[in-house]
Amino acid sequence: MQDLKVSLIEVFSERHLVETFDELTLTVDSQDIIKTCLKLRDSFSFDTLIDLCGVDYLTYGQSDWNGNASASGFSRGRNHQGLEDRHEQRFAVVYHLLSVSKNKRIRVKSFVDEAEPIIKSVTDIWASADWYEREAFDLMGILFENHTDLRRILTDYGFKGYPLRKDFPMIGEVEMRYDEDLGRVVYEKVSIEPNINVPRVIRK
Amino acid sequence: MAEIRNYTLNFGPQHPAAHGVLRLILEIDGEVIERADPHIGLLHRGTEKLVESKPYNQSIGYMDRLDYVSMMCNEHAYVMAIETMLGIKVPERAQYIRVMFDEITRILNHLMWLGTHGLDVGAMSIFLYAFREREKLIDCYEAVSGSRMHATYYRPGGVYRDLPDKMPQYLVSDFRTDKELKIMNENRQGSLLDFIADFVKEFPKSIKQYDDLLTDNRIWKQRLVNIGIVSANRAKQLGFTGPMLRGSGVAWDLRKNQPYAVYDQLEFDIPVGMTGDSYDRYLVRMEEMRQSNHIIKQCVKWLQENPGAVMSDDHKVSPPKRADMKDDMESLIHHFKLFTEGYCLPKGEIYRTVEHPKGEFGVYLISDGANKPYRVKIRAPGFAHLAAMDEMVRGHMLSDVVTIIGTQDVVFGEIDR
């Protein structure tokens, strides 16, 4: 892996490359994603896109100990830590690449703007990106430019919202039931209350 | 001449060959598929969202429910991610137990695949034979974890408990005579390892039976040969892994190429296909079962000779002994802490992956230092395979769609998550 690291540093600048747990993470600007991916595929033979996902860094490093975690639950005084490592940009798109021929892996990470979470699609580079990008769009609301078929994939037909975003409630927003009088299925606002059984704590 | 137009056919979600809840919108010209649009998500349970709200240990059960025919392999990737981040060492015996159960799981998965694939294509009897052996392996699951499917057996730091010394036996019942009961319990007199050793000895005969039923069967070949051909390069482009990639002739197996647990100390071969059609993938999986059998044999031998701990003694992640809790304050505190708040992972991100029976199953975990994951992305092998459905079925007949669903070995628990 060290050879790969050395040759990567030659092409990309060193400050964008991090090594953790024997894994390499390359952070690139969202404008450069196509250029970077093409280079990784053609010069470093990363022939397979193993995974692509969106990450929402909205509440990164925040614990539940402040404020009302649930309607009737705890709200004990503990100043919450971790605000210092809030990410500047809210969303990230993470690509996991695999080189079957060279037996190497790399993670490419690219932050996108919160107001306009758009990034270029890599479907022309790896065909497998098609559904992964649809999934990231569906669950995280990240838009992929030049994707030919950016439809929702996992959620219900006519679903509203992006469920994996941190501001989307765990209990959802609507619930569904069969209405006898109307003779069809109706959507209503959820009737259950959010409940946290185990608070989220950060200990250093 | 009458005008002939393409028509659209809705396949599933309640179709016995749809392997669960696949809905396919097929555009058909006569009986030839022009386009297939899989609609997935009918089994979407929001696992990735739920996992964010639970302490790490409470989510192991969710992993079982992803690919619900290869439960323990899913757990393996998840616990490996946690262990690496915490930097805890797993006892060697636990590693062997994990590998043994990973391979049992692989056989379980492939038997399920073989039975249902056969059923889809019209071979009824293979299903019954496959489930005969599955039953025995499911009993191993039950003996070791108390559950026949959703084991939650792997835990960060090892496995929950050591292998039982006694294999559970069939009980007296009105439905069987004493003589039948005696035969049923014949190989259950010893420990679980003895039972598995007996299974491993008998299993090649069972594979031989499946082989006799299918491999040279004319109908089976007519339905599988040259159906859904994927070239090696295309397979990599499409993100194929596991038997789907090996069927196309790429010798890629994480157990060999990026070994985890104790796979580097075991001897086994990687079968590869030649043409990349459904028949090759069938042969690859059949051979994988034989290889798994071989691995289990080695694990049983090792486990019989090497008793020892199966759980890390770091009580920050593993519960202390119940007896210790009676008079040791520290154990009591550890126990309480572990089962209420859980443990915190250091800040960072990790991607850990295993060679799942279906391909590469990965867990991408981001931690912000809390007792719950910040984000977990599950990389399900079936997702990438199903995404290639359109490409694989184009130009084939309607009945071949069923073969291709079968050969992809899709399970919706992992695809829809």
Side-chain angles (χ1 to χ4, degrees):
Chain A
M1 201 185 70
Q2 290 309 317
D3 330 338
L4 174 69
K5 196 175 173 186
V6 170
S7 49
L8 278 168
I9 286 171
E10 275 171 26
V11 182
F12 307 99
S13 115
E14 195 173 350
R15 67 196 166 89
H16 297 308
L17 202 65
V18 197
E19 189 189 335
T20 48
F21 304 111
D22 293 328
E23 294 174 330
L24 286 172
T25 308
L26 180 69
T27 312
V28 295
D29 222 50
S30 59
Q31 268 86 36
D32 301 334
I33 193 72
I34 294 292
K35 211 171 70 191
T36 313
C37 286
L38 273 174
K39 189 145 246 158
L40 286 171
R41 186 191 67 176
D42 298 334
S43 315
F44 294 92
S45 55
F46 283 102
D47 40 29
T48 310
L49 173 78
I50 275 293
D51 192 24
L52 187 159
C53 69
V55 181
D56 178 4
Y57 279 102
L58 183 68
T59 60
Y60 190 81
Q62 288 177 27
S63 56
D64 281 336
W65 282 99
N66 54 300
N68 284 316
S70 68
S72 56
F74 51 86
S75 63
R76 269 182 271 167
R78 239 185 96 105
N79 286 332
H80 72 84
Q81 326 126 332
L83 269 184
E84 74 274 10
D85 48 42
R86 266 192 71 163
H87 285 66
E88 274 172 32
Q89 277 170 308
R90 181 173 165 191
F91 295 111
V93 182
V94 183
Y95 306 77
H96 282 97
L97 309 181
L98 168 72
S99 165
V100 170
S101 49
K102 295 233 173 93
N103 195 6
K104 294 270 190 301
R105 282 178 193 277
I106 194 174
R107 169 160 54 233
V108 179
K109 206 171 186 179
S110 185
F111 283 91
V112 289
D113 195 44
E114 179 179 354
E116 277 183 0
I118 302 180
I119 194 164
K120 289 241 166 44
S121 163
V122 293
T123 38
D124 290 336
I125 306 174
W126 297 286
S128 54
D130 183 357
W131 274 28
Y132 286 121
E133 289 182 350
R134 277 178 68 186
E135 189 197 325
F137 161 70
D138 186 6
L139 302 179
M140 206 59 96
I142 293 163
L143 298 165
F144 293 89
E145 208 177 321
N146 300 333
H147 190 290
T148 48
D149 186 26
L150 202 62
R151 284 176 294 156
R152 285 188 173 267
I153 185 164
L154 288 175
T155 50
D156 199 0
Y157 303 112
F159 189 85
K160 288 194 188 74
Y162 303 106
L164 275 186
R165 285 190 177 183
K166 290 287 175 179
D167 48 11
F168 189 93
M170 171 73 73
I171 53 165
E173 273 159 356
V174 287
E175 61 186 22
M176 193 175 75
R177 71 175 172 86
Y178 179 75
D179 192 301
E180 288 273 338
D181 302 331
L182 295 170
R184 64 179 170 88
V185 164
V186 289
Y187 288 89
E188 286 163 348
K189 215 170 162 300
V190 279
S191 56
I192 49 172
E193 285 205 352
N195 179 28
I196 300 174
N197 291 325
V198 182
R200 179 185 189 85
V201 290
I202 297 178
R203 300 194 190 280
K204 289 190 175 156
Chain B
M1 214 173 106
E3 193 192 348
I4 299 169
R5 278 184 306 167
N6 288 355
Y7 58 92
T8 314
L9 183 85
N10 181 53
F11 179 101
Q14 307 214 14
H15 186 286
H19 283 215
V21 285
L22 170 64
R23 182 180 175 206
L24 274 174
I25 312 291
L26 299 168
E27 198 183 310
I28 304 181
D29 176 11
E31 224 187 301
V32 177
I33 312 288
E34 298 270 283
R35 204 170 67 87
D37 179 19
H39 284 205
I40 62 166
L42 285 105
L43 200 62
H44 180 60
R45 295 145 297 177
T47 304
E48 286 166 7
K49 184 88 176 173
L50 287 167
V51 163
E52 286 172 12
S53 73
K54 303 239 179 322
Y56 287 98
N57 267 9
Q58 291 183 20
S59 300
I60 304 172
Y62 283 125
M63 298 298 133
D64 286 315
R65 285 149 182 84
L66 287 167
D67 181 353
Y68 46 76
V69 289
S70 23
M71 298 66 77
M72 289 202 196
C73 289
N74 306 342
E75 293 171 20
H76 202 161
Y78 181 69
V79 296
M80 246 168 39
I82 295 173
E83 281 158 4
T84 323
M85 275 189 108
L86 282 171
I88 39 179
K89 236 176 104 54
V90 182
E92 202 178 4
R93 187 173 165 85
Q95 302 269 28
Y96 270 94
I97 293 177
R98 282 185 186 175
V99 167
M100 184 174 80
F101 271 95
D102 275 6
E103 295 310 317
I104 286 179
T105 308
R106 196 176 315 276
I107 296 181
L108 272 174
N109 178 80
H110 285 2
L111 284 176
M112 173 67 122
W113 158 82
L114 184 68
T116 49
H117 190 24
L119 205 58
D120 291 349
V121 179
M124 288 287 284
S125 47
I126 186 72
F127 186 76
L128 303 171
Y129 287 108
F131 268 66
R132 182 186 58 186
E133 267 69 55
R134 251 181 80 84
E135 183 64 23
K136 293 177 191 157
L137 294 176
I138 287 278
D139 280 350
C140 297
Y141 258 56
E142 191 178 3
V144 87
S145 71
S147 165
R148 291 168 64 82
M149 268 181 97
H150 303 303
T152 327
Y153 180 53
Y154 298 2
R155 304 287 167 95
V159 293
Y160 186 61
R161 55 180 170 185
D162 206 346
L163 304 170
D165 294 331
K166 263 172 90 177
M167 185 69 195
Q169 300 185 356
Y170 285 103
L171 300 176
V172 182
S173 148
D174 290 345
F175 297 100
R176 45 189 169 244
T177 62
D178 289 347
K179 205 175 141 200
E180 281 170 340
L181 188 69
K182 206 166 160 233
I183 296 168
M184 286 168 94
N185 282 333
E186 210 176 307
N187 52 5
R188 291 165 185 263
Q189 300 302 319
S191 67
L192 173 69
L193 277 175
D194 296 333
F195 180 76
I196 297 174
D198 182 68
F199 175 84
V200 171
K201 209 168 75 212
E202 298 297 318
F203 189 56
K205 288 181 206 156
S206 311
I207 301 183
K208 178 79 176 37
Q209 283 181 331
Y210 315 144
D211 222 28
D212 291 344
L213 273 171
L214 296 176
T215 307
D216 289 323
N217 184 318
R218 188 159 52 95
I219 305 169
W220 182 252
K221 275 183 149 175
Q222 279 168 347
R223 293 296 305 271
L224 262 70
V225 175
N226 285 340
I227 301 297
I229 297 180
V230 183
S231 73
N233 274 336
R234 201 56 204 156
K236 284 190 248 175
Q237 258 288 314
L238 291 166
F240 281 15
T241 43
M244 296 288 287
L245 184 61
R246 290 193 283 276
S248 299
V250 183
W252 175 261
D253 191 313
L254 292 172
R255 294 174 294 169
K256 277 267 191 245
N257 295 85
Q258 298 173 359
Y260 53 94
V262 287
Y263 277 113
D264 48 352
Q265 289 160 41
L266 297 164
E267 184 197 299
F268 60 101
D269 294 325
I270 303 300
V272 287
M274 302 268 285
T275 53
D277 62 358
S278 299
Y279 189 69
D280 271 14
R281 288 187 282 269
Y282 156 74
L283 293 176
V284 164
R285 289 191 175 110
M286 288 292 273
E287 184 55 32
E288 273 183 24
M289 284 203 276
R290 292 191 190 97
Q291 295 299 329
S292 294
N293 199 54
H294 187 51
I295 298 175
I296 297 173
K297 201 184 284 175
Q298 298 169 54
C299 290
V300 169
K301 187 165 175 286
W302 193 95
L303 288 167
Q304 277 170 338
E305 289 162 2
N306 296 279
V310 293
M311 191 66 155
S312 151
D313 51 11
D314 179 357
H315 294 310
K316 291 270 186 284
V317 292
S318 69
K321 282 206 174 61
R322 190 139 287 266
D324 292 345
M325 280 157 48
K326 305 292 179 196
D327 52 11
D328 181 17
M329 187 59 141
E330 206 179 350
S331 296
L332 192 67
I333 295 169
H334 274 140
H335 179 268
F336 178 72
K337 264 304 197 201
L338 183 64
F339 285 98
T340 52
E341 187 180 286
Y343 44 85
C344 294
L345 252 60
K347 227 175 260 173
E349 52 188 359
I350 196 166
Y351 178 77
R352 275 295 173 269
T353 171
V354 293
E355 184 70 30
H356 184 273
K358 294 183 170 63
E360 175 174 330
F361 182 92
V363 170
Y364 173 46
L365 197 151
I366 303 178
S367 161
D368 59 350
N371 58 339
K372 303 173 182 182
Y374 184 76
R375 168 94 164 94
V376 171
K377 168 76 197 334
I378 293 143
R379 196 272 172 192
F383 191 79
H385 297 159
L386 192 68
M389 173 63 79
D390 180 41
E391 197 174 313
M392 284 175 82
V393 298
R394 264 181 211 215
H396 280 306
M397 307 285 256
L398 178 58
S399 59
D400 298 332
V401 173
V402 173
T403 309
I404 290 171
I405 296 172
T407 197
Q408 286 189 341
D409 194 10
V410 288
V411 161
F412 278 87
E414 55 157 10
I415 292 170
D416 290 346
R417 276 159 291 156

